[in-house]
Amino acid sequence: MSTPVRAVDEQFRALPLAELADAALTAARAAGATHADLRVHRLVTQSIRLRDGRVESIGNATDLGFAVRVVVDGTWGFASHADLSPATAAEVARRAVTVATTLRALNRERVELADEPVYAGAAWVSPYEIDPFAIETPEKVALLQDYSRRLSDAAGVDHVTASVLQVKEQTFYADTAGSSITQQRVRLHPELEAITVDPAAGVFETMRTLAAPAGRGWEYVTGADGVWDWHGELARIPEWLAEKVSAPSVDPGAFDLVIDPTNLWLTIHESIGHATEYDRAIGYESAYAGTSFATPDQLGALRYGTPVMHVTGDRTQEHGLASVGYDDEGVAGQRWDLIRDGTLVGYQLDRVFAPRLGLDRSNGCSYADSPHHVPIQRMANVSLQPDPERDTTTAELISRVDNGIYVVGDKSWSIDMQRYNFQFTGQRFYRIRDGRLDGQLRDVAYQATTTDFWGAMEAVGGPSTWVLGGAFNCGKAQPGQVAAVSHGCPSVLVRGVTILNTRAEAGQ
């Protein structure tokens, strides 16, 4: 299926974008700003949720407005509004200048922005086949009901939930340097979960689909693009759930792990993605989910993992949730190394933090989740690269393990404020004996420190094992903002990892 060439929706392009930019930027200059940018932001969302085949909720929302940022005497100012008129834009720009002037006395670090080429009249649209907002809601509900029936008709399944979250995000950016950029990206997350209940014991167990949220269109949910085998997975979920219910509880100890990409992406997100955000590394984000052990004084020296570890930051990954043509500071999307040969070599940056690290250019990690929020440094698609020389399969990695566990799917997680001590569970765990899978296990969690875990990674799978995972709900900042981000990775083999029994740890 070929991806059609798309343009930004006429409904967004018909807004007075150029008029707003001219009014805001002219007023900001006249009021004394040395830099100013305008961002018009439209966010359209729809969420559909079913329980046992019946609609539980349908939510539709549109957030539309604009924001003006200015730099006055080395100090940021910001203001926003929902009224898209040139007169309001000019007033908002003057208000942003007033904010900067007022805050100047409190500013201890002068704002210096890294240079970026000018992109006049640029446009970018994410790749997708079918706009989910072009599909009628009853048709979407009918598909989720059909998928739900496939699970609920199976023996042992007591309840089924089904949901799909869809987002269309459109932005227009313009600044006093001369850039003017229009963008549109679509993303969605379909999910189904089967639940079995034991009323006598008062316990339940779940098993859900593992299709990751993605920068794709409705074709992803129907399976028309061939990316995810919905029919095959839905047919097997009851079987996996039944096996999980009757599986033995794990005996804690040290095990070799083969970790599937459907689980590993979350470990990457927490222990690498957040740890290599430069604002965390220098203490800017300490009030929300902590800082980072990977501080700038260790750049080029910190042994993050073994030499097979190559991690990139990427704002250009096809279908990535954090992929853009340009970020919210007008910086073109890029790909760069964060960890190379197991050593920390880079960070995620915006135009303010790049000069502080001694770099001439930002790598494009600025984003705001609303027209009324300030753009901050946000996570790129952070991905572990596969073996570039050999297409090692997951089965081959498993064959190298005498006594271990194969981990599939994400579930709960916990990590400390420094992104260093962590614990992760999963959807399914299989015992590995003498290089072969030997049935499921229950109550498994793996625990390590970041450098011990990645320092025990013996091998990475090849390109055929590489999968793009991710999440819609990465939280950061105060007031809180939410961003969607993807993480690609292959299957990996990690030696000697501590395994806990979660039931025993909970005192049960």
Side-chain angles (χ1 to χ4, degrees):
M1 182 178 289
S2 61
T3 301
V5 177
R6 292 197 171 274
V8 177
D9 291 353
E10 174 60 27
Q11 185 180 17
F12 184 74
R13 290 186 287 119
L15 297 173
L17 304 175
E19 294 87 344
L20 293 170
D22 182 62
L25 301 181
T26 298
R29 285 195 198 94
T34 54
H35 167 87
D37 57 59
L38 166 112
R39 174 174 47 89
V40 181
H41 194 158
R42 182 173 184 258
L43 197 67
V44 183
T45 62
Q46 183 185 59
S47 62
I48 302 173
R49 183 172 180 83
L50 280 64
R51 180 174 176 82
D52 296 332
R54 296 185 295 273
V55 174
E56 190 172 69
S57 65
I58 297 176
N60 296 281
T62 299
D63 188 12
L64 174 62
F66 74 92
V68 179
R69 286 193 321 171
V70 300
V71 178
V72 180
D73 196 17
T75 303
W76 280 122
F78 175 87
S80 68
H81 209 284
D83 176 28
L84 303 187
S85 70
T88 301
E91 178 56 33
V92 168
R94 288 188 285 267
R95 190 185 312 155
V97 170
T98 299
V99 170
T101 303
T102 303
L103 293 177
R104 177 64 188 92
L106 303 176
N107 186 18
R108 296 183 180 181
E109 295 180 308
R110 185 178 180 84
V111 173
E112 300 290 345
L113 299 180
D115 290 335
E116 179 68 16
V118 171
Y119 307 100
W124 181 86
V125 178
S126 66
Y128 59 92
E129 294 280 345
I130 302 171
D131 183 347
F133 294 92
I135 304 298
E136 295 296 330
T137 299
E139 182 178 339
K140 300 175 188 177
V141 170
L143 180 63
L144 293 179
Q145 288 175 326
D146 175 53
Y147 286 174
S148 296
R149 279 192 295 269
R150 294 168 191 243
L151 292 176
S152 61
D153 287 348
V157 175
D158 295 304
H159 299 286
V160 175
T161 63
S163 63
V164 60
L165 177 60
Q166 307 139 86
V167 179
K168 180 187 287 185
E169 187 170 24
Q170 298 159 325
T171 57
F172 171 75
Y173 172 91
D175 62 29
T176 47
S179 286
S180 56
I181 302 163
T182 310
Q183 299 189 94
Q184 175 170 295
R185 53 182 178 150
V186 165
R187 54 186 180 269
L188 45 71
H189 185 194
E191 184 176 273
L192 288 98
E193 184 173 62
I195 305 163
T196 185
V197 180
D198 183 345
V203 297
F204 67 93
E205 194 56 82
T206 65
M207 188 69 63
R208 61 176 168 79
T209 53
L210 298 180
R216 297 181 181 273
W218 191 249
E219 68 281 355
Y220 182 50
V221 189
T222 65
D225 57 3
V227 171
W228 196 259
D229 180 11
W230 291 99
H231 304 303
E233 185 180 33
L234 292 171
R236 296 205 64 188
I237 280 178
E239 165 196 333
W240 290 327
L241 180 58
E243 184 180 359
K244 183 177 182 180
V245 168
S246 61
S249 190
V250 70
D251 292 325
F255 291 85
D256 297 338
L257 302 184
V258 175
I259 306 180
D260 194 79
T262 55
N263 178 273
L264 190 65
W265 75 265
L266 183 55
T267 308
I268 291 169
H269 176 88
E270 298 293 348
S271 69
I272 304 173
H274 280 306
T276 58
E277 292 176 308
Y278 187 71
D279 59 346
R280 288 188 187 277
I282 61 175
Y284 267 61
E285 190 64 9
S286 57
Y288 190 132
T291 55
S292 172
F293 77 95
T295 50
D297 59 298
Q298 303 179 83
L299 189 64
L302 174 64
R303 295 298 300 174
Y304 221 104
T306 58
V308 300
M309 186 180 190
H310 178 203
V311 179
T312 58
D314 195 346
R315 296 283 268 168
T316 66
Q317 173 67 51
E318 188 174 30
H319 304 298
L321 295 172
S323 297
V324 293
Y326 308 85
D327 77 351
D328 282 355
E329 293 183 322
V331 178
Q334 301 158 51
R335 182 180 187 269
W336 69 98
D337 286 345
L338 294 168
I339 299 167
R340 186 171 56 246
D341 300 327
T343 300
L344 176 69
V345 295
Y347 287 99
Q348 302 166 71
L349 302 159
D350 61 16
R351 290 181 69 177
V352 170
F353 290 127
R356 296 180 187 180
L357 194 58
L359 300 178
D360 295 331
R361 188 185 182 204
S362 162
N363 47 38
C365 291
S366 178
Y367 173 73
D369 69 352
S370 161
H372 307 299
H373 283 161
V374 178
I376 58 174
Q377 186 262 297
R378 292 310 310 260
M379 199 181 297
N381 302 305
V382 174
S383 299
L384 175 68
Q385 298 305 307
D387 187 336
E389 298 180 357
R390 187 174 184 275
D391 194 10
T392 303
T393 66
T394 302
E396 288 177 286
L397 294 177
I398 291 171
S399 73
R400 293 164 61 171
V401 176
D402 294 326
N403 178 36
I405 297 173
Y406 174 46
V407 185
V408 181
D410 65 274
K411 202 167 186 182
S412 65
W413 73 96
S414 175
I415 192 163
D416 71 9
M417 301 289 278
Q418 294 292 305
R419 302 288 152 178
Y420 193 63
N421 295 281
F422 64 68
Q423 178 177 309
F424 291 87
T425 64
Q427 281 279 314
R428 305 195 302 275
F429 299 90
Y430 295 88
R431 186 65 191 266
I432 304 173
R433 298 181 193 272
D434 300 323
R436 295 183 179 182
L437 298 184
D438 188 24
Q440 284 195 48
L441 292 168
R442 294 185 65 181
D443 311 320
V444 181
Y446 62 91
Q447 184 183 66
T449 67
T450 294
T451 51
D452 284 348
F453 177 83
W454 295 109
M457 184 171 65
E458 180 180 290
V460 297
S464 66
T465 73
W466 197 89
V467 176
L468 194 64
F472 261 39
N473 58 343
C474 177
K476 191 176 180 180
Q478 292 176 320
Q481 296 194 37
V482 175
V485 60
S486 292
H487 303 286
C489 55
S491 297
V492 302
L493 169 58
V494 188
R495 298 288 189 183
V497 180
T498 297
I499 294 296
L500 305 178
N501 182 299
T502 57
R503 188 177 295 272
E505 292 293 321
Q508 299 177 4

